[in-house]
Amino acid sequence: MKALVYKGPGQKAYEDHAKPELRDPTDAIVRITRTTICGTDLHILKGDVATCTPGRILGHEGVGIIDAVGAAVTAFKPGDRVLISCVSACGKCEYCRKSMFSHCTTGGWILGNTIDGTQAEYVRTPHADTSLYPIPEGADEEALVMLSDILPTGFECGVLNGKVEPGATVAIIGSGPIGLAALLTAQFYSPAEIIMVDLDDSRLEIAKRFGATATINSTDGTAVEQIMAMTGNRGVDTAIEAVGVPATFEMCERIIAPGGVIANVGVHGKPVALHLETLWDRNIAITTRLVDTSSTPMLLKIVGSKKIDPTLLITHRFKFDQMIEAYDTFGNAAETRALKVIIEA
Ligand SMILES: [Zn+2]
Ligand SMILES: [Zn+2]
């Protein structure tokens, strides 16, 4: 089969690779019909993710058709259409019993990281019964690819951890796919204001179409002042950090209102200054989280009911043999205006 293989920092190849085989009785082999590329894959390619070693097939998002199941798999059979969660969960360990699947002792985020991933014709998915979801009859498979990772990440790490409430003022720093996923799912709770901040006007335009009540281009360095002016110098009740660099986290520290929550979603590679000298008396909370995908069953219903349309995030479509082109397009988002790309078998 063909697969996109990480070859070490800065290097990748779309090449022939052995088809995966069942290893444990709880495994399934899934034939991938649609996958996508994540910002995390670009982090790996930069050499930022030490757990992912050269030779690994990348990708942790996708939908497909069950090709084979191990003897202990009872929920799925060959031919079933499934959504693959970016997080594998055994369902039995101490963390899984707390619905903290991201820290499953034999799972978590392993696909396309410590085991071969979904940017391939076939993938081995461990703990199949508790890590795959049946695709409802008539569902839009492209929409469901957005449920492997970005929708639950924006919702769980940003909206749920950020305690978005009716009437609240929310700022989302970063209008990429994850920030936009937080914007879409924050609206479940009817906040009064959602202010989107980014450096790119075209992404802010999309944010407006997705329901942002205000947008700020932070290129000139006045975003904090503008947010404070918009909120009567109060700040925001929820600040969602969806970039992962020190400047954006520190922006959240400056705009958070008394009693507010800073919900970090971004993947940080550098230390960030914690300004306790200004925050110690402000009754705030700071949260961090790796997505658990515990909200996936709910999100499947919401998308099925057309309450939100995650296909709005899809800007480009490719075939499997255009994998390298798909990476070039996604990796050069400032020019190509790519948000999410769909790669089809
Ligand atoms: Zn991802
Ligand atoms: Zn577990």
Side-chain angles (χ1 to χ4, degrees), residues 16-76:
D16 288 316
H17 200 283
K19 187 184 162 187
E21 287 173 0
L22 294 168
R23 196 175 302 169
D24 296 314
T26 47
D27 287 348
I29 304 295
V30 179
R31 178 163 67 79
I32 299 289
T33 53
R34 285 183 178 86
T35 183
T36 181
I37 307 170
C38 182
T40 309
D41 299 320
L42 300 184
H43 275 296
I44 292 172
L45 280 167
K46 272 195 247 160
D48 285 350
V49 182
T51 47
C52 184
T53 50
R56 179 72 59 235
I57 299 174
L58 297 184
H60 49 265
E61 297 162 81
V63 295
I65 299 168
I66 300 268
D67 183 59
V69 293
V73 174
T74 58
F76 300 99

Side-chain angles (χ1 to χ4, degrees), residues 30 53 64 67 84 88-89 101 112 168 172 211 236 241 293 315 327 340:
V30 179
T53 50
D67 183 59
I84 300 168
S88 305
F101 307 124
I172 301 174
V236 301
E241 201 286 343
T293 65
T315 53
Y327 261 90
K340 286 300 270 187

Side-chain angles (χ1 to χ4, degrees), residues 89-96 103-107:
C90 75
K92 296 173 186 167
C93 73
E94 188 180 342
Y95 292 114
C96 282
H103 292 273
C104 173
T105 53
T106 56

Side-chain angles (χ1 to χ4, degrees), residues 117-159:
T118 56
Q119 289 164 11
E121 289 178 67
Y122 293 87
V123 65
R124 181 181 71 91
T125 57
H127 304 311
D129 275 345
T130 37
S131 308
L132 300 174
Y133 295 87
I135 292 184
E137 200 61 47
D140 177 350
E141 288 196 7
E142 283 194 347
L144 298 193
V145 176
M146 305 299 119
L147 263 65
S148 286
D149 178 355
I150 61 163
L151 238 60
T153 296
F155 179 63
E156 293 173 20
C157 307
V159 176

